């Protein structure tokens, strides 16, 4: 999955999302997500694609804009790899499909109380530099 390294901008239903992924080291490819709503931050996410045994898993932890964890302190969401092909990695509840040299789409299965609710589709495009937008705060 080294192709996913870099800075990406995606489109979620409520606003843009930034996804920054660092280069793989020691069997881990870490990343950070900042999701935006129309007038504020929606959430942060720290994740890592990690080599576990002879496979991959995606481990994710979410935070509010105030950095309160959604999951319990020692908990995280674990999404083991279930399959892959030439363009896609299929994790339990999340698929990452490369759609071009500078684009990919993520399909997240939204689950609630053990029930599958909907699939969130987020197209991403690579960006060279962080986007700068004024939010009214002094710089």
């Amino acid at each position: 999955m080294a192709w996913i390294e870099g800075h990406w901008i995606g489109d979620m239903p409520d606003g843009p999302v930034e996804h920054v992924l660092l280069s793989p080291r020691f069997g881990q490819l870490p990343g950070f997500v900042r999701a935006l709503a129309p007038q504020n931050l929606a959430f942060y996410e720290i994740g890592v694609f990690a080599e576990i045994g002879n496979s991959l898993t995606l481990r994710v932890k979410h935070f509010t804009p105030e950095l309160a964890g959604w999951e319990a302190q020692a908990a995280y969401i674990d999404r083991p790899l279930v399959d892959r092909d030439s363009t896609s990695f299929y994790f339990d509840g999340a698929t990452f499909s490369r759609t071009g040299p500078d684009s990919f789409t993520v399909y997240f299965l939204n689950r609630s109380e053990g029930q599958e609710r909907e699939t969130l589709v987020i197209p991403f495009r690579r960006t060279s530099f962080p986007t700068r937008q004024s939010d009214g705060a002094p710089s």
Side-chain angles (χ1 to χ4, degrees):
M1 288 195 72
W3 61 265
I4 204 167
E5 175 186 344
H7 185 226
W8 302 86
I9 301 295
D11 299 308
M12 291 194 349
D14 292 335
V17 59
E18 293 178 274
H19 197 171
V20 177
L21 290 128
L22 303 177
S23 60
R25 298 279 194 272
F26 304 106
Q28 297 200 1
L29 193 155
F32 173 78
V33 170
R34 175 173 57 182
L36 303 171
Q39 299 298 322
N40 58 6
L41 291 166
F43 65 88
Y44 294 117
E45 175 183 293
I46 296 174
V48 62
F49 295 96
E51 291 180 5
I52 306 294
N54 292 328
S55 190
L56 285 176
T57 192
L58 172 59
R59 292 189 170 152
V60 178
K61 191 162 184 98
H62 298 88
F63 299 88
T64 68
E66 294 78 25
L67 297 181
W70 288 3
E71 295 83 19
Q73 184 174 354
Y76 53 86
I77 297 170
D78 197 18
R79 298 181 182 279
L81 184 69
V82 294
D83 200 2
R84 69 173 287 202
D85 59 31
S86 63
T87 60
S88 300
F89 287 79
Y90 304 93
F91 296 89
D92 179 28
T95 297
F96 291 75
S97 292
R98 191 173 190 183
T99 55
D102 293 315
S103 61
F104 72 95
T105 299
V106 179
Y107 303 87
F108 283 110
L109 180 58
N110 184 6
R111 296 178 179 142
S112 178
E113 300 176 7
Q115 299 287 328
E116 296 180 1
R117 301 291 183 198
E118 63 186 352
T119 300
L120 179 62
V121 179
I122 308 170
F124 282 90
R125 64 194 176 284
R126 188 182 303 275
T127 182
S128 300
F129 303 101
T131 57
R132 301 218 185 266
Q133 294 183 0
S134 175
D135 61 2
S139 51

